């Protein structure tokens, strides 16, 4: 989680610039991770993504699926390589790939309700148990779908713009649009899970 000051975006005047101040909280799984060199950098990138989203969109009340989905999506990036390499190989680095493979095997497909994802209010109800992992996996997979699919990337941009303008997302995710997007997302998940 992030702790931001009340004015997260640097404000510039002719003589003065006020810079944002952030505190990023993360978890150390072991004593070794309590030193920066041993810290799980994916978690650090994930938490920093929350701070950046809040700063760029100038708000801290982002929908959880979007905030966690984007943070989890970028949390598995290797910052030492180019973005197109990360996009091409991200499925081999995400811990949630196994969750979807297992889900598909158990259910015969990757069908996960988009309406359910968009309406989740309690993100981590079981302290990183199976329900929380399902939420993170679902949000990441939806963001991955929007970011990696040329046909649906404009939808990500519409969501981004609506969040920036503080417009309601239900104007974007109409019933008809939900059905079309969910069907395409499920096809994407079925391909990714194989």
């Amino acid at each position: 989680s992030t702790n931001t000051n009340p004015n997260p975006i640097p404000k510039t005047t002719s003589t003065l610039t006020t810079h944002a101040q952030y505190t990023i909280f993360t978890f150390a799984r072991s004593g070794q991770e309590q030193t920066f060199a041993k810290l799980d950098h994916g978690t650090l990138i994930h938490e920093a993504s929350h701070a950046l989203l809040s700063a760029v969109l100038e708000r801290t009340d982002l929908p959880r699926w979007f905030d966690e989905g984007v943070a989890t999506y970028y949390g598995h990036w290797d910052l030492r390589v180019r973005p197109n390499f990360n996009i091409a190989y991200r499925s081999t680095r995400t811990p949630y790939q196994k969750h979807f493979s297992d889900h598909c095997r158990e259910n015969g497909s990757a069908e996960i309700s988009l309406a359910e994802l968009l309406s989740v209010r309690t993100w981590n109800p079981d302290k990183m148990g199976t329900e929380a992992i399902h939420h993170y996996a679902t949000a990441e997979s939806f963001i991955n779908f929007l970011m990696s699919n040329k046909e649906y990337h404009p939808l990500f941009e519409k969501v981004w713009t609506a969040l920036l303008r503080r417009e309601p997302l239900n104007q974007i995710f109409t019933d008809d649009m939900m059905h079309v997007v969910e069907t395409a997302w499920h096809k994407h998940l079925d391909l990714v899970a194989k």
Side-chain angles (χ1 to χ4, degrees):
S1 63
T2 59
N3 179 17
T4 63
N5 72 1
N7 299 308
I9 300 298
K11 297 194 184 222
T12 304
T13 64
S14 59
T15 59
L16 178 68
T17 300
T18 305
H19 295 281
Q21 295 177 354
Y22 291 96
T23 302
I24 298 174
F25 296 96
T26 188
F27 301 98
R29 292 187 197 118
S30 67
Q32 287 183 331
E33 284 192 1
Q34 292 179 4
T35 63
F36 186 76
K38 303 277 185 180
L39 181 68
D40 177 359
H41 290 127
T43 301
L44 185 60
I45 293 168
H46 175 101
E47 298 304 335
S49 294
H50 289 303
L52 286 170
L53 280 172
S54 292
V56 171
L57 293 173
E58 298 187 31
R59 58 190 294 181
T60 57
D61 63 337
L62 296 170
R64 292 300 298 264
W65 67 267
F66 184 84
D67 193 24
E68 294 297 347
V70 170
T72 304
Y73 177 86
Y74 285 110
H76 304 296
W77 275 47
D78 183 341
L79 299 178
R80 299 167 296 180
V81 299
R82 295 185 181 276
N84 44 344
F85 180 87
N86 277 297
I87 292 167
Y89 293 98
R90 75 175 315 282
S91 66
T92 63
R93 291 194 309 272
T94 176
Y96 299 115
Q97 185 64 46
K98 181 176 179 351
H99 175 83
F100 275 109
S101 296
D102 292 348
H103 180 83
C104 292
R105 237 186 333 279
E106 292 168 13
N107 299 301
S109 76
E111 292 194 21
I112 295 166
S113 167
L114 181 56
E116 178 187 330
L117 171 63
L118 300 183
S119 65
V120 171
R121 296 288 175 252
T122 305
W123 197 259
N124 187 7
D126 55 353
K127 308 234 185 274
M128 288 311 290
T130 56
E131 193 172 350
I133 289 171
H134 183 73
H135 292 158
Y136 280 95
T138 305
E140 178 194 22
S141 71
F142 186 59
I143 294 296
N144 180 41
F145 163 70
L146 294 177
M147 298 288 279
S148 65
N149 186 305
K150 287 180 181 170
E151 184 179 350
Y152 287 95
H153 192 270
L155 179 59
F156 179 87
E157 292 171 355
K158 282 183 184 178
V159 170
W160 180 271
T161 301
L163 291 171
L164 189 60
R165 294 178 179 167
R166 298 184 176 274
E167 297 171 352
L169 295 183
N170 61 359
Q171 293 177 356
I172 297 170
F173 291 107
T174 62
D175 289 342
D176 290 340
M177 176 61 95
M178 290 275 283
H179 176 72
V180 169
V181 172
E182 184 175 80
T183 300
W185 177 38
H186 290 170
K187 286 179 185 175
H188 172 80
L189 288 176
D190 286 337
L191 290 173
V192 169
K194 290 179 181 177

